[in-house]
Amino acid sequence: MRSRRIRAYALTGGRTKTRHQLLVETLISVPQYDPSLADSLMPESRGLYEGARRQASVAELSVELDLPLGVVRVLLSDLALQGAVFIHPTASAFQNDTNVLERILDGLKRLPV
């Protein structure tokens, strides 16, 4: 990892917005690990890429690499645009899908009391 003296905006090129919705609970995984891609990434992105090999949340990756959430979100979004990581949908992605909500409700009703 780089020195803690490097400012967050230097890691993200001053960007704070992402192209993907990345909540703290959003799960990230690597669909197909590529060692040559890992070698070409800057250390922070490589750490995220390596950490996501075993499906992890945005928050977990942030804590493991001791990086601010905002930086992690920007770097993960960059990796997703490259097709290096997969962003799993969160519950908020299904908030207006009545079919999914009905299936969840049915499942809850079948739970033993």
Side-chain angles (χ1 to χ4, degrees):
M1 245 351 107
R2 294 182 194 232
S3 164
R4 293 190 185 274
R5 293 185 190 150
I6 292 185
R7 304 258 184 214
Y9 61 80
L11 296 174
T12 63
R15 295 170 297 134
T16 57
K17 303 240 185 246
T18 65
R19 293 191 182 201
H20 302 88
Q21 183 180 18
L22 293 167
L23 305 173
V24 293
E25 70 269 18
T26 302
L27 295 175
I28 310 293
S29 63
V30 174
Q32 175 110 23
Y33 181 74
D34 181 355
S36 62
L37 172 64
D39 290 341
S40 71
L41 297 170
M42 65 180 179
E44 294 78 11
S45 293
R46 184 180 321 116
L48 293 170
Y49 184 62
E50 297 285 346
R53 287 178 73 181
R54 50 137 190 82
Q55 187 173 324
S57 72
V58 171
E60 290 170 317
L61 292 168
S62 176
V63 169
E64 288 171 11
L65 296 172
D66 195 25
L67 289 172
L69 273 170
V71 170
V72 169
R73 286 182 174 127
V74 170
L75 297 178
L76 284 173
S77 184
D78 291 347
L79 288 170
L81 287 172
Q82 295 174 25
V85 297
F86 177 73
I87 299 171
H88 297 265
T90 58
S92 67
F94 302 108
Q95 67 187 12
N96 295 322
D97 188 338
T98 56
N99 184 35
V100 171
L101 294 174
E102 287 172 8
R103 288 177 48 208
I104 292 171
L105 186 57
D106 289 342
L108 289 173
K109 288 178 181 177
R110 281 189 248 130
L111 288 174
V113 181

